[in-house]
Amino acid sequence: MKRIGILTSGGDAPGMNAAIRAVTRKAIYEGMEVYGINYGFAGLVAGDIRRLDLADVGDKIQRGGTFLYSARYPEFATQEGQLKGIEQLKKFGIEGLVVIGGDGSYHGAMALTKHGYPAVGIPGTIDNDIPGTDYTIGFDTAINTVLDALDRIRDTATSHVRTFVIEVMGRGAGDIALWAGVAGGADDIIIPEHDFDMKEVAERIQQGRDRGKKHCLIVLAEGVMGGNEFAAKLAEYGDFHTRVSILGHIVRGGSPSARDRVLASKFGGYAVDLLKENKGGLCIGIENEQIVARDIIDMLENYKHKPDLSLYQLNRELSV
Ligand code: F6P
């Protein structure tokens, strides 16, 4: 291939810019041309497309968000939207497309693949919920942002001998809560992938109190329920001076961590290697520290991301 396109879609994630930079710089290094598509699949259908040069991706590696902008665009789930998108790609002479995003974006890339258009997916979402990779771009930065919040909340929780319910993003996945919770020494972690019993949560808080613990931090994944609802249910089992903190979109912004920048650079470079050899219909990932490419249709139709539940058990043992 000589001319490729790139877009970011769905919820933005720190490190997306580093991935766009890597794709652009590597492609130009290989003698190819790169076209950036603004606003994800919405911009693709609208033809909001421009050529990217070396300088366009300068001073971007350290920035959060995505300078190509992003959008949620359910219309791309329709055949009509997909064919319009392919028409635009052909109009610009773009022979293959790099799609950076999460689950919805991968489904867009899969649809293009099913129409015979070569697309390569790069996993970019804070949720870490994509099959075919151990880690997604943005996850490491997100858990470090949550960790920073937990350390701060612990200070005030201790001062007032309070229980805090900290609600974190993650959609249907508990990875952010799990990893940040373990790193932050959370007293309990509540995730969609593991049952919990509110009575037992209350008993653990009381046990901590009885042995003189001054703080209690419960990290709650949004996929279970909202923080306020959780606190109201907990109150039925006792008064733990509970406060709720909903971290929300704060967790999605900020400068990407070194790990996310390196991951994004590796993924971007590899995406170009694949398209240069006319290989599409793939999604890139990292498995056991090795960069891999898997069939995107097989991944989405037959696999589901699973969190590392050994961390859940470990946290129960460590947070007594
Ligand atoms: O998928 C990323 C994510 O931040 C989820 O964690 C969250 O549930 C969702 O996006 C929020 O979406 P929006 O920014 O469209 O409200």
Side-chain angles (χ1 to χ4, degrees), residues 105-144:
S105 317
Y106 264 41
H107 277 86
M110 179 171 78
L112 292 175
T113 300
K114 286 186 173 172
H115 287 297
Y117 188 89
V120 170
I122 291 183
T125 166
I126 60 166
D127 300 336
N128 207 45
D129 61 348
I130 303 298
T133 189
D134 294 340
Y135 301 106
T136 57
I137 297 170
F139 175 64
D140 184 64
T141 309
I143 58 176
N144 278 290

Side-chain angles (χ1 to χ4, degrees), residues 11 72 125-127 169-171 222 249 252:
R72 299 203 187 275
T125 166
I126 60 166
D127 300 336
M169 278 191 170
R171 219 163 41 134
E222 66 173 357
H249 287 79
R252 228 162 75 184

Side-chain angles (χ1 to χ4, degrees), residues 71-106:
R72 299 203 187 275
Y73 188 62
E75 291 86 338
F76 206 74
T78 66
Q79 168 112 330
E80 195 195 343
Q82 294 155 12
L83 294 179
K84 261 196 214 157
I86 292 175
E87 203 182 297
Q88 292 288 8
L89 288 163
K90 290 195 172 150
K91 195 168 116 194
F92 282 83
I94 298 168
E95 300 160 280
L97 182 68
V98 179
V99 173
I100 308 173
D103 187 63
S105 317
Y106 264 41

